[in-house]
Amino acid sequence: MNKIFHPASERGFFDHGWLKTFHSFSFASWYSPQKIRFGKLRVLNDDWVAPAEGFGMHPHDNMEIVTILLKGSLAHKDSMGHQEIIKPNEIQVMSAGTGITHSEFNASENENVELLQIWVFPDKSGHTPRYDQKYFNPVERRNKLQTVVAPNKNENSLWLNQDAYLSWGEFEKDQVVNYQIHNSKNGVYIFVIEGIIKTADEILSRRDAIGIWNSEKLEISILENSFILLIEIPMN
């Protein structure tokens, strides 16, 4: 087993007033040569956006983008004609492919929005751009992992153009979580949204993360009530 521990305190951080953002990997003007990516995982941003503020129209290409709402609501608009509101327990997938422009704004005039945005390199360049979002029942992630993104089209999850799996779960203290890695060439990046866990002989608290590879399975001990996100991703 190989591992790399990323404490929350060592993330990049910018306060733009309307936007407070933490970067797990090098992003924008924050650069850390030790934190360029974890396998095909390129970006994990932890964002807070003020009411009625947001990101104007901007382009992307050849990237699989996953947005997870933690609090509030986010208004999405893109060059494919989609105009959607994303809310907690909903996840958005956008395959930028050959090129897309979009905007993201806090849909509320009086409530902050909190979200995670994840960028994954696709399995190849030139995919047709695509957008989807889905509601996931929180009951189905209580004391178990709920798969929300997978490589293949499935009515129970969203899908990416990559051999990637995203799962999340909310666990009570003293639970033990076992995770079987789908592909021996994959690693898993574990991000603690809330709580305290132990895995691979490391203790992780709120917003800490650990990347693990060259392992067939993981065991996670829940030390306090916790909300965790697992991103299984090809390492090459």
Side-chain angles (χ1 to χ4, degrees):
M1 175 190 291
N2 298 89
K3 65 182 180 181
I4 185 166
F5 178 48
H6 287 168
S9 60
E10 295 180 4
R11 296 182 296 171
F13 174 70
F14 292 95
D15 186 346
H16 301 283
W18 65 273
L19 168 68
K20 295 178 176 61
T21 179
F22 290 89
H23 307 318
S24 293
F25 302 97
S26 296
F27 189 83
S29 60
W30 182 71
Y31 175 74
S32 170
Q34 290 77 36
K35 295 182 178 179
I36 303 297
R37 61 165 76 178
F38 178 76
K40 296 298 184 182
L41 174 61
R42 175 61 187 88
V43 168
L44 200 170
N45 288 348
D46 183 3
D47 293 343
W48 174 100
V49 182
E53 297 285 357
F55 306 89
M57 278 289 183
H58 58 282
H60 293 284
D61 62 60
N62 293 311
M63 194 66 71
E64 304 291 297
I65 300 171
V66 180
T67 301
I68 299 175
L69 261 288
L70 301 177
K71 179 182 177 182
S73 56
L74 189 72
H76 167 94
K77 184 177 181 179
D78 64 44
S79 54
M80 293 184 289
H82 299 104
Q83 295 189 51
E84 306 288 348
I85 302 293
I86 314 164
K87 298 179 180 180
N89 300 312
E90 292 185 333
I91 293 179
Q92 174 205 79
V93 166
M94 188 174 70
S95 297
T98 53
I100 189 173
T101 59
H102 76 135
S103 64
E104 299 164 298
F105 277 87
N106 188 337
S108 172
E109 296 288 337
N110 49 43
E111 183 181 25
N112 302 326
V113 64
E114 298 177 15
L115 61 105
L116 302 176
Q117 190 162 93
I118 296 158
W119 294 10
V120 172
F121 289 110
D123 54 7
K124 65 179 182 179
S125 298
H127 284 291
T128 300
R130 178 179 60 88
Y131 176 92
D132 200 2
Q133 73 183 64
K134 182 177 175 61
Y135 169 83
F136 291 91
N137 190 336
V139 172
E140 296 177 6
R141 65 172 185 263
R142 290 178 186 166
N143 289 317
K144 61 182 179 181
L145 288 172
Q146 178 186 41
T147 300
V148 294
V149 176
N152 303 311
K153 296 179 182 179
N154 184 320
E155 64 180 13
N156 297 318
S157 64
L158 297 165
W159 60 277
L160 293 181
N161 293 302
Q162 185 52 272
D163 184 29
Y165 300 81
L166 275 68
S167 305
W168 60 1
E170 295 185 66
F171 296 92
E172 296 174 346
K173 180 180 178 180
D174 297 329
Q175 300 288 313
V176 175
V177 184
N178 291 292
Y179 182 82
Q180 186 73 36
I181 297 175
H182 295 80
N183 188 320
S184 62
K185 296 180 180 179
N186 289 357
V188 180
Y189 196 76
I190 304 171
F191 184 77
V192 180
I193 299 173
E194 301 287 348
I196 304 175
I197 68 170
K198 182 177 181 180
T199 189
D201 296 322
E202 301 283 354
I203 295 178
L204 287 75
S205 300
R206 183 180 188 273
R207 265 46 176 195
D208 288 343
I210 189 170
I212 298 172
W213 67 104
N214 288 334
S215 180
E216 295 182 354
K217 58 186 178 181
L218 306 176
E219 183 176 285
I220 304 168
S221 298
I222 308 299
L223 304 185
E224 298 292 345
N225 290 356
S226 297
F227 187 9
I228 61 175
L229 173 67
L230 275 63
I231 306 171
E232 180 181 337
I233 202 82
M235 295 303 294
N236 299 312

